Amino acid sequence: MHSAMGDPTTNLDRIAEWSSKAREQGAAFALFPEECITGSMNKSDIPPEESMRIAEAAAEQSVPFLESLCRELDMTLVVGTIEPAGERYRNSAYIVGPGGYLATFTKLHIPNETERAWFEPGSQLPVVTSQGWTFGVGICYDLRFPEIFRTAAQQGADFFLLAVGASGCADNVTPDGDQTEQAAEHRQLAAQVLPARAVDNALYIFYANQAGKSGNAWFPGLAFAIDPHGQFIDEHAPVEGMIVTEVSRDLIEQARSSGCFTANEARPDLYASPQIVSGTP
């Protein structure tokens, strides 16, 4: 989805439109990009006082709106936003089901000084059950940390949802706004790590990035799904759009029964206290 910069009302209406389209195609869950409700204000020239006003307005209206939408559509949604956190912000995703608000996930790992100037890191890792399925959530740079996928799998997760707002420079965007090259670059980066996360933990992994130009950044509109065998099974790029993927319990159980599934064999206590051996100089 393309997020209108600093316009929560418009973005929530568009979230409702896309959710309705997904429901019409049989979807029970929908994943939206990082900072979707507010736009990526950390990649814009919006003055600080205006950014806080927008974040506060978004925080006030978003959960009631999403609760009503999820109840109407009988869906579970994961939707990125920017929340106020004192004088700073949290990069978060609301998790809402047909019965109402479930949890808020806040980005755990902050990748650079620019984002660290904006965001407080999260301090909780929710593993959520809704509509008979269990899942974990991450935001963008969190995908680099295998521990969160492992933890979700150990708590019975069937899939993992990644809300992404990864952008690129204008140099690899054509004059008509085509971001095919940028989408390919982001897909290649994801392909280096995410298939292993899926295989090791017997998880489906879903990834949804923003689309189009917003603020000072271009976003490639990349969405994809990876199955528990590490195969890319659905993809869409480089503009707005969606994929609708059927999740198979049989495939998950098959993956959990294989030797590739290692979540239940992990020994975190041992890893936390390695034996350090130094040889003679």
Side-chain angles (χ1 to χ4, degrees):
M1 182 182 133
H2 172 74
S3 291
M5 180 61 68
D7 190 348
T9 300
T10 293
N11 291 330
L12 286 168
D13 286 343
R14 303 212 60 227
I15 287 163
E17 291 174 11
W18 281 109
S19 297
S20 295
K21 291 179 182 178
R23 192 72 184 102
E24 289 169 2
Q25 294 191 32
F29 290 76
L31 166 67
F32 287 86
E34 179 181 15
E35 303 170 332
C36 186
I37 295 172
T38 56
S40 296
M41 297 189 295
N42 52 307
K43 298 177 181 178
S44 76
D45 296 322
I46 297 176
E49 62 276 9
E50 180 67 4
S51 296
M52 184 57 70
R53 185 196 67 77
I54 292 165
E56 289 172 347
E60 182 177 349
Q61 62 183 300
S62 295
V63 170
F65 182 96
L66 294 172
E67 286 183 319
S68 176
L69 179 63
C70 290
R71 186 166 52 248
E72 175 189 347
L73 297 178
D74 194 28
M75 291 185 73
T76 300
L77 303 183
V78 175
V79 187
T81 192
I82 294 176
E83 294 186 299
E87 296 183 356
R88 285 157 48 84
Y89 302 90
R90 291 186 295 268
N91 185 335
S92 297
Y94 295 128
I95 308 168
V96 183
Y101 169 83
L102 293 165
T104 297
F105 173 84
T106 297
K107 190 173 184 176
L108 299 176
H109 306 96
I110 311 300
N112 54 55
E113 291 303 322
T114 301
E115 286 203 24
R116 290 188 193 106
W118 269 74
F119 299 124
E120 296 285 347
S123 58
Q124 292 184 319
L125 180 58
V127 179
V128 181
T129 298
S130 182
Q131 296 179 269
W133 297 89
T134 301
F135 60 95
V137 174
I139 295 178
C140 203
Y141 187 58
D142 287 329
L143 68 82
R144 292 286 181 181
F145 296 84
E147 294 85 354
I148 63 174
F149 297 85
R150 173 61 39 100
T151 299
Q154 289 171 335
Q155 298 303 316
D158 304 299
F159 48 85
F160 202 98
L161 304 177
L162 287 165
V164 181
S167 62
C169 62
D171 293 342
N172 57 1
V173 179
T174 66
D176 63 358
D178 185 359
Q179 292 154 264
T180 301
E181 181 181 343
Q182 189 184 116
E185 290 176 0
H186 284 289
R187 190 219 190 259
Q188 182 178 15
L189 288 171
Q192 292 174 351
V193 295
L194 290 180
R197 310 276 193 263
V199 170
D200 290 346
N201 299 297
L203 293 169
Y204 282 90
I205 296 177
F206 295 88
Y207 173 113
N209 203 346
Q210 283 194 53
K213 190 176 191 302
S214 189
N216 299 324
W218 284 92
F219 299 89
L222 177 62
F224 58 75
I226 299 174
D227 75 10
H229 295 309
Q231 300 300 311
F232 282 78
I233 53 173
D234 276 325
E235 294 187 59
H236 177 89
V239 295
E240 278 193 305
M242 67 180 179
I243 58 173
V244 180
T245 305
E246 184 175 359
V247 175
S248 166
R249 291 192 190 276
D250 287 343
L251 192 63
I252 293 169
E253 288 306 315
Q254 180 188 100
R256 287 174 179 169
S257 299
S258 78
C260 296
F261 176 58
T262 57
N264 291 342
E265 309 304 324
R267 303 177 65 186
D269 293 343
L270 185 151
Y271 310 147
S273 303
Q275 180 185 11
I276 307 301
V277 180
S278 298
T280 302

